[in-house]
Amino acid sequence: MTDLTVRAMSAAEFDSWQHELAVEYAREHVAAGNWTAEEGVERARAAIAAQLPDGMATPGQLILVGVLPDGTPVGRIWISLTHPRGLPDCAFIQDIEVLADRRGQGLGRALLAAGERVARERGARALELNVFGANEAAATLYRTSGYRVVTQQMRKDLLP
């Protein structure tokens, strides 16, 4: 596996990441048919702000950058140590992303493993995440990394 560690995100990285996260999260919700393109980014920003009311200082949040041994940042991972549905001892990956120009090099798997180590060190006994149905590459990564489906939401459009 690729040698990768994680470090806390800097304030400048956090500002940039919040914007990029909102755009990507909105894109996924629009593609899934949950939100309109016009409302997407604003809804995403509001959802992120609700989960991070104190920004980087919000308790129970690990907002990390994946770095190579030479210090080069290659991705980000956000883990909530408190599960959104209150599951005891279960942390939750809110976001994980490898930088676009670094994908396909095994860094996603390494970043996921590094995040798992940090969550375990902080007392988590399990780790969950959500993945959009159209994101088959991510779903494959998670399955082959030992994650299993514990809940599944499905939809059928009824209008022509």
Side-chain angles (χ1 to χ4, degrees):
M1 183 178 301
T2 304
D3 190 19
L4 182 140
T5 59
V6 290
R7 63 164 171 77
M9 192 176 282
S10 72
E13 289 169 327
F14 181 79
D15 290 341
S16 175
W17 168 75
Q18 276 196 298
H19 172 73
E20 293 168 19
L21 178 61
V23 169
E24 179 60 23
Y25 190 55
R27 186 186 69 72
E28 292 281 2
H29 272 285
V30 170
N34 299 330
W35 299 343
T36 66
E38 296 75 28
E39 71 181 342
V41 172
E42 199 51 46
R43 285 187 74 169
R45 283 189 179 123
I48 294 163
Q51 292 182 295
L52 296 172
D54 297 322
M56 291 174 53
T58 302
Q61 306 299 314
L62 304 173
I63 303 169
L64 308 167
V65 175
V67 295
L68 297 176
D70 68 0
T72 303
V74 294
R76 303 166 291 230
I77 186 166
W78 169 21
I79 300 172
S80 294
L81 294 173
T82 302
H83 193 281
R85 292 188 319 274
L87 299 178
D89 303 320
C90 186
F92 193 87
I93 297 176
Q94 299 287 354
D95 180 57
I96 181 172
E97 184 173 14
V98 172
L99 301 178
D101 65 338
R102 301 306 301 253
R103 293 181 186 154
Q105 302 171 26
L107 296 170
R109 187 171 309 282
L111 181 57
L112 187 59
E116 291 167 356
R117 282 191 301 275
V118 173
R120 189 172 29 256
E121 289 166 2
R122 297 291 185 94
R125 296 182 60 201
L127 189 57
E128 283 189 355
L129 54 83
N130 284 334
V131 60
F132 284 94
N135 195 344
E136 188 54 39
T140 298
L141 168 65
Y142 304 138
R143 275 193 302 274
T144 60
S145 295
Y147 289 75
R148 60 185 169 75
V149 175
V150 293
T151 62
Q152 190 166 5
Q153 186 173 356
M154 299 176 78
R155 176 186 300 161
K156 177 180 180 181
D157 291 329
L158 300 177
L159 300 176

